[in-house]
Amino acid sequence: MTDQFGLTEDQIAIQDMARRFTADAITPFAAQWDEEHHFPRETIKAAAELGFAAIYVSEESGGIGLGRLEAALIMEAMAYGCPTTSAFISIHNMAAWMIDRFGGDELKSRYLPDLVTMDRMASYCLTEPGSGSDAAALKTTARRDGNDYVLNGTKQFISGGGVNDVYVVMVRTGEDGPKGISCVVVDKDTPGVSFGAPEKKLGWNASPTAQVIFDNARVPVANRVGEEGDGFRFAMAGLDGGRLNIGAFSLGGAQRCLDEAIRYVKDRRQFGKTIAEFQNTQFVLADMATDLEAARALLYLAAAKVTANAPDKTRFSAMAKKLSTDSGSSIVDRALQMFGGYGYLRDYPIERFWRDLRVHRILEGTNEVMRMIVGRDLLK
């Protein structure tokens, strides 16, 4: 940022590029993708041509080496058209970044060229059927056997499960708790790797979600990211940025619904005048816009802190994620109310955003967990 309150010329140019891509390649098609549960692989791959598959992968590794604020601007812009598509690209970025940031040169040379171009797409595998918020309790094991790890266990709610080519997986190589967790990269076609049926979800219909199942799957030790026991640290480092992106999806979706509501109330007439002329409508719109800008300001500040590796970055990421996703859901709900019965119909985009944004209060740590993180940090 040029100062406390403005974006740099480069950041504005990045934001404009993402907005143009969204307007041309995402927004006109998002409703159909949702209706047909269609995964827009080619559109997502087209984002890689702009560098959006490796936003914070280093330039040395073929990425564009941007910071977390620039990433948030891109994700917010794409979510204006489709939060689901923006989220899928974000998850790929997290996996690619983790390999680049913590992997060795040989591992990076094998995976990053194809991830940067999205010739291969990547998923991030942390959550399990029995460990969601308590990620350190994960049970998927990786037993060392010569030059391989033998993986057994199941990962739950994996975006891209069964579709993506590469899976960055948190596994237990040692003792219970966070110190026994390591990170390995697993190829889709590895013998012993299978996938559950596609999940039937409230929203995010354009993004396939499924279990990833390991049954004596042999993975080379050379596919380990970093050292044994470092996986939980890597996972938590990734979550700071992931939480910012989740918040950015909510900002983009909320902005879209606010804009749609403003257009609608100017046109819709009741009791002889437009809905926009009623003071109650103006008050609600004012509250929606104020809540959105407050959340955006906190999220941009948190993003700058993560890029700068500030000591309070995790607390600010948690606060920003909570405020942005809570506010986003509330703004979309109020927009739907302004549309009345029409807001409940799929002829208008509001109900899709209402469904898609709801899960943001759960992902990357529930908002209840965000409050725990903030409270504990304040009291330490």
Side-chain angles (χ1 to χ4, degrees):
M1 301 176 92
T2 52
D3 52 45
Q4 280 182 289
F5 307 108
L7 301 176
T8 66
E9 290 183 4
D10 286 346
Q11 288 166 342
I12 292 171
I14 291 165
Q15 185 182 55
D16 287 343
M17 180 170 63
R19 286 173 172 172
R20 288 195 300 272
F21 175 76
T22 300
D24 293 339
I26 297 178
T27 304
F29 313 105
Q32 182 179 357
W33 296 341
D34 174 76
E35 182 73 23
E36 298 176 357
H37 291 223
H38 172 70
F39 173 52
R41 176 182 288 273
E42 293 306 314
T43 301
I44 290 171
K45 188 174 180 181
E49 297 175 11
L50 303 177
F52 293 171
I55 297 169
Y56 25 83
V57 170
S58 64
E59 293 183 20
E60 294 78 8
S61 297
I64 57 176
L66 299 179
R68 298 295 177 158
L69 176 54
E70 290 81 7
L73 294 173
I74 293 167
M75 296 302 162
E76 180 182 353
M78 289 193 293
Y80 189 90
C82 178
T84 309
T85 303
S86 184
F88 198 94
I89 294 171
S90 170
I91 293 164
H92 174 91
N93 270 274
M94 178 188 285
W97 168 82
M98 200 165 287
I99 293 171
D100 180 48
R101 176 67 177 83
F102 301 112
D105 290 340
E106 191 273 336
L107 187 70
K108 290 192 283 188
S109 67
R110 280 195 287 126
Y111 283 98
L112 286 177
D114 286 344
L115 295 180
V116 166
T117 59
M118 273 194 169
D119 287 329
R120 289 196 285 177
M121 297 183 185
S123 293
Y124 172 72
C125 303
L126 175 64
T127 300
E128 297 184 359
S131 62
S133 297
D134 186 10
L138 66 85
K139 300 296 185 184
T140 296
T141 58
R143 176 179 56 83
R144 182 76 178 259
D145 183 20
N147 292 325
D148 293 334
Y149 287 113
V150 181
L151 274 60
N152 283 282
T154 300
K155 295 296 180 178
Q156 182 76 18
F157 302 131
I158 304 305
S159 292
V163 171
N164 282 351
D165 313 284
V166 176
Y167 298 84
V168 177
V169 186
M170 298 300 155
V171 295
R172 185 161 302 285
T173 53
E175 63 190 72
D176 290 343
K179 294 182 180 179
I181 295 172
S182 301
C183 178
V184 296
V185 181
V186 182
D187 294 320
K188 177 184 180 180
D189 59 2
T190 300
V193 175
S194 61
F195 305 94
E199 302 289 359
K200 299 176 181 178
K201 300 168 295 186
L202 174 70
W204 277 32
N205 289 325
S207 171
T209 303
Q211 288 185 334
V212 181
I213 303 162
F214 305 100
D215 183 9
N216 290 322
R218 300 186 74 91
V219 178
V221 172
N223 279 29
R224 188 182 66 218
V225 180
E227 300 299 322
E228 280 197 4
D230 284 344
F232 191 76
R233 178 169 62 86
F234 300 163
M236 294 303 102
L239 285 178
D240 281 338
R243 287 165 182 162
L244 295 174
N245 286 354
I246 288 287
F249 309 151
S250 286
L251 296 179
Q255 184 68 65
R256 171 69 179 281
C257 292
L258 175 60
D259 292 347
E260 295 281 351
I262 290 171
R263 283 192 290 268
Y264 182 79
V265 299
K266 287 180 177 179
D267 182 65
R268 175 72 167 169
R269 299 185 68 84
Q270 292 286 282
F271 304 104
K273 56 184 177 180
T274 65
I275 298 175
E277 294 177 76
F278 290 98
Q279 189 178 62
N280 178 69
T281 302
Q282 296 168 19
F283 283 178
V284 175
L285 289 171
D287 287 344
M288 292 163 68
T290 301
D291 291 347
L292 179 57
E293 292 299 342
R296 181 176 283 131
L298 180 58
L299 188 123
Y300 287 6
L301 173 60
K305 284 179 176 287
V306 171
T307 299
N309 199 31
D312 54 1
K313 63 178 182 177
T314 296
R315 169 158 53 95
F316 271 79
S317 295
M319 290 193 297
K321 190 265 184 182
K322 177 190 177 300
L323 183 63
S324 297
T325 57
D326 281 348
S327 297
S329 285
S330 175
I331 290 164
V332 174
D333 190 71
R334 283 175 277 177
L336 192 153
Q337 191 72 15
M338 285 188 174
F339 273 72
Y342 292 105
Y344 208 66
L345 302 180
R346 293 194 175 184
D347 302 84
Y348 296 87
I350 303 296
E351 65 85 30
R352 171 167 58 88
F353 282 89
W354 188 90
R355 289 185 286 107
D356 283 349
L357 263 63
R358 180 59 184 87
V359 75
H360 298 174
R361 289 152 60 191
I362 298 170
L363 297 174
E364 306 286 11
T366 66
N367 283 6
E368 290 77 12
V369 170
M370 296 305 98
R371 295 164 71 189
M372 288 170 54
I373 291 169
V374 174
R376 288 174 180 173
D377 193 68
L378 290 171
L379 294 170
K380 70 180 181 182

